[in-house]
Amino acid sequence: MQALAPGVHLHPGYLDASAQKALLEEIRAVVAQAPLYVPAMPRTGKPMSVRMTNCGALGWVTDKERGYRYQATHPVTGEAWPAIPKMLLDIWDDVANFPLLPQACLVNFYSADAKMGLHQDRDEQELGAPVVSLSLGDDCLFRVGGTARNAPTASVRLGSGDLVVLGGEGRLAFHGVDRIYPGTSMLLKNEGRINLTLRRVTRGQI
Ligand SMILES: O=C(O)CCC(=O)C(=O)O
Ligand SMILES: [Fe+2]
């Protein structure tokens, strides 16, 4: 385990190749039920470059009119999100050091030219639980800083199977994805990167 910033820990190679393949199959099943869609930025309605879906009781969504939020249904199909695969619940159990299970798993799909600007994950009421983030497929350049936007940042290349935990004083650390390195992994059939982000949303037992 490697500290990228206070409270931000990288577990390089957390999933071996066969676990990555098994998890990818689970995510394919999630996407078959809850298709990837293009989220839009609040107010401007500008499309994000990352395509998204979710599994879990709640999913993180954003659109022009209502902005960033969690909701129980897919914004395009109107269906409830599929359940979080057991493999991911077990991973949370292993690394989160939190007594309750995650409620939301955001599935981010990055094509070769997608990125995600520097931001904090702050749409959750429960900030005592960490954010647990897994990478599958192509490498990316991940950037993480402090809890102020202008704090210095460190960049690290994340590969398939790498896991990052943002917890404690790192829970609100600014972070983002500056670029994808297309063709650096053979896991997916085509180029691209999948990121899975597990979170608690509400406070207390649900
Ligand atoms: O893709 C990643 O590694 C980060 C994703 C992220 O920060 C988010 O979905 O909030
Ligand atoms: Fe984030």
Side-chain angles (χ1 to χ4, degrees), residues 63-143:
D63 57 28
K64 181 177 181 190
E65 293 76 22
R66 294 172 62 202
Y68 300 159
R69 64 193 185 276
Y70 281 91
Q71 64 182 41
T73 55
H74 191 290
V76 178
T77 68
E79 303 279 339
W81 305 106
I84 299 178
K86 169 139 191 327
M87 243 187 107
L88 288 172
L89 299 179
D90 289 345
I91 292 169
W92 173 275
D93 237 13
D94 184 34
V95 300
N97 192 26
F98 192 78
L100 304 174
L101 290 173
Q103 294 166 303
C105 174
L106 175 62
V107 179
N108 291 311
F109 178 77
Y110 296 77
S111 54
D113 54 2
K115 46 184 140 217
M116 191 178 285
L118 206 65
H119 67 277
Q120 291 172 298
D121 287 11
R122 51 180 307 159
D123 300 314
E124 301 76 27
Q125 290 154 17
E126 180 55 272
L127 296 176
V131 171
V132 173
S133 174
L134 264 167
S135 295
L136 292 174
D138 284 338
D139 292 359
C140 79
L141 188 62
F142 182 77
R143 187 143 56 120

Side-chain angles (χ1 to χ4, degrees), residues 1 6 25 47 50 52 61 77 89 91 107 133 148 177 192 198:
M1 191 173 77
E25 285 316 308
V50 178
M52 294 183 179
V61 299
T77 68
L89 299 179
I91 292 169
V107 179
S133 174
V177 172
L198 296 162

